[in-house]
Amino acid sequence: MSEANPIVYRPSTERIRASRMYDYMQWLEREGVVEVEDYDALHAWSVDALEDFWASIWDYTGVIAEARGNTVLDSRSMPGARWFGGARLNFAENLLREALHGDADKTAIVGLSESRDEVRLSYAELLEQVGAFEAWLVEQGVGAGDRVAGVVAHTHEPIVAMLACASIGAIWSSASPDFGVAGLVDRFAQIEPRVLITVDGYRYGGKDFDRRDRIDELCERIPSITHVVVTANQGRAVPDDARVTGWDDALQAHRGARPSFTPQAFEHPVYILFSSGTTGAPKCIVHGAGGALLQHSKELMLHGDIGRDDIFFYFTTC
């Protein structure tokens, strides 16, 4: 081992061959796509043969789609490159495939919080909640292309809400509940959300923070908001306001509804994230459903080596 190129860690041959990355390399050879002898060769091929590489990711990860389209990439020029033209899929359907085509009784989400009891949802329960919340959104007039904003803690509810939005082609965006009203308006006023999902409060560092008092101001400063859903993050009473619905009430009103999983174009927006705002107003960053699906699948399955029976822990703001 030279000082110029130190090797900090080298996995055993057995561990390498048990990885999903190795399985993918073997799959490429079996399917007649390409033969690569090591990771460096695989990386070089993925950069040089963009179309073949991303087509292989689509196939290897098993994308569920109404149509794949006729081309993988119409041009390598930027901006203007269009991926999988003609493809139609649903982001939420792909994320909920275990409920639809696998073991629906498997645990999908384990939620841990300072201020709440542990929450466990099976894939069947997750599917049920997504269907119920989608039906509630549709009842409020939300459809494809409409925006839904969340001022939410990282609990199971925003996962359900995002999947419900993606199922009908609405666009999800979120921010942390510790943001001030000005920071929230700087972001969400740009995208004109129809529905706001917020928390009754949150706990941080052993201190409780009530966030119900900001609902009126947010609705006044973002007039596109017509309906508000409040999640019981701390068990506080839902404000007595005709615009406001409790999360549990929204779900209960539509128990038994199934997600529609409406197919959308590959580039149809699935969520809007924002830059930090350090160089002026926060900038909208729009993520397409197909691109996000393929990139997440590649990153988690190949680089993260995550399989069906693994548990992935993610600790962050939402």
Side-chain angles (χ1 to χ4, degrees):
M1 181 170 62
S2 69
E3 292 184 2
N5 186 28
I7 298 174
V8 178
Y9 167 73
R10 187 193 299 278
S12 66
T13 299
E14 291 76 16
R15 183 161 188 175
I16 291 173
R17 291 185 175 178
S19 70
R20 300 201 72 173
M21 186 70 76
Y22 184 82
D23 181 73
Y24 169 61
M25 293 167 66
Q26 301 305 301
W27 178 89
L28 289 171
E29 184 174 343
R30 289 197 307 270
E31 294 296 316
V33 179
V34 67
E35 293 186 27
V36 288
E37 62 182 17
D38 54 26
Y39 180 80
D40 289 339
L42 174 63
H43 179 262
W45 172 74
S46 73
V47 173
D48 295 336
L50 290 178
E51 296 85 353
D52 293 341
F53 170 69
W54 285 106
S56 77
I57 294 296
W58 177 297
D59 293 335
Y60 180 76
T61 61
V63 172
I64 300 170
E66 180 184 76
R68 176 167 169 165
N70 298 320
T71 60
V72 175
L73 178 61
D74 61 1
S75 169
R76 293 195 179 190
S77 62
M78 286 289 289
R82 186 184 182 203
W83 291 90
F84 290 96
R88 293 183 62 79
L89 55 82
N90 187 270
F91 187 80
E93 182 180 15
N94 278 272
L95 269 63
L96 289 168
R97 69 176 66 193
E98 189 73 25
L100 302 169
H101 309 292
D103 180 1
D105 293 328
K106 280 185 64 175
T107 298
I109 294 174
V110 179
L112 304 174
S113 170
E114 283 189 73
S115 57
R116 299 170 63 169
D117 292 336
E118 177 181 304
V119 174
R120 285 181 177 264
L121 293 179
S122 69
Y123 276 97
E125 291 168 328
L126 179 58
L127 182 72
E128 179 184 6
Q129 291 198 18
V130 170
F133 195 68
E134 176 187 331
W136 183 88
L137 288 172
V138 171
E139 187 176 65
Q140 314 317 313
V142 175
D146 288 329
R147 279 75 61 203
V148 174
V151 183
V152 284
H154 194 147
T155 59
H156 72 280
E157 290 97 343
I159 299 175
V160 171
M162 182 279 292
L163 290 169
C165 289
S167 179
I168 55 176
I171 306 166
W172 169 257
S173 188
S174 68
S176 173
D178 60 358
F179 275 35
V181 170
L184 296 172
V185 172
D186 283 347
R187 288 160 173 78
F188 294 147
Q190 299 182 62
I191 64 173
E192 298 182 334
R194 181 184 289 266
V195 170
L196 172 69
I197 301 170
T198 188
V199 294
D200 59 354
Y202 68 95
R203 179 177 297 168
Y204 180 75
K207 297 179 63 176
D208 292 328
F209 298 86
D210 191 338
R211 282 297 179 259
R212 296 171 299 171
D213 58 349
R214 302 187 305 176
I215 292 174
D216 284 341
E217 186 173 358
L218 285 172
C219 289
E220 289 173 5
R221 297 182 63 178
I222 308 177
S224 61
I225 297 172
T226 58
H227 295 85
V228 179
V229 182
V230 178
T231 67
N233 201 41
Q234 292 199 303
R236 304 175 190 272
V238 175
D240 185 12
D241 187 319
R243 296 170 300 184
V244 180
T245 302
W247 174 265
D248 290 341
D249 292 333
L251 294 188
Q252 189 60 41
H254 298 281
R255 291 291 182 191
R258 298 281 290 182
S260 63
F261 298 135
T262 306
Q264 306 290 343
F266 185 85
E267 66 272 17
H268 183 81
V270 66
Y271 37 72
I272 298 172
L273 306 183
F274 291 91
S275 63
S276 64
T278 54
T279 58
K283 314 299 189 298
C284 295
I285 306 169
V286 182
H287 292 256
L293 177 65
L294 287 184
Q295 172 58 25
H296 287 329
S297 299
K298 175 184 70 70
E299 180 179 342
L300 296 173
M301 296 168 72
L302 298 185
H303 300 297
D305 200 33
I306 295 175
R308 290 180 69 251
D309 297 322
D310 290 322
I311 298 171
F312 179 49
F313 174 65
Y314 207 84
F315 179 76
T316 181
T317 53
C318 190

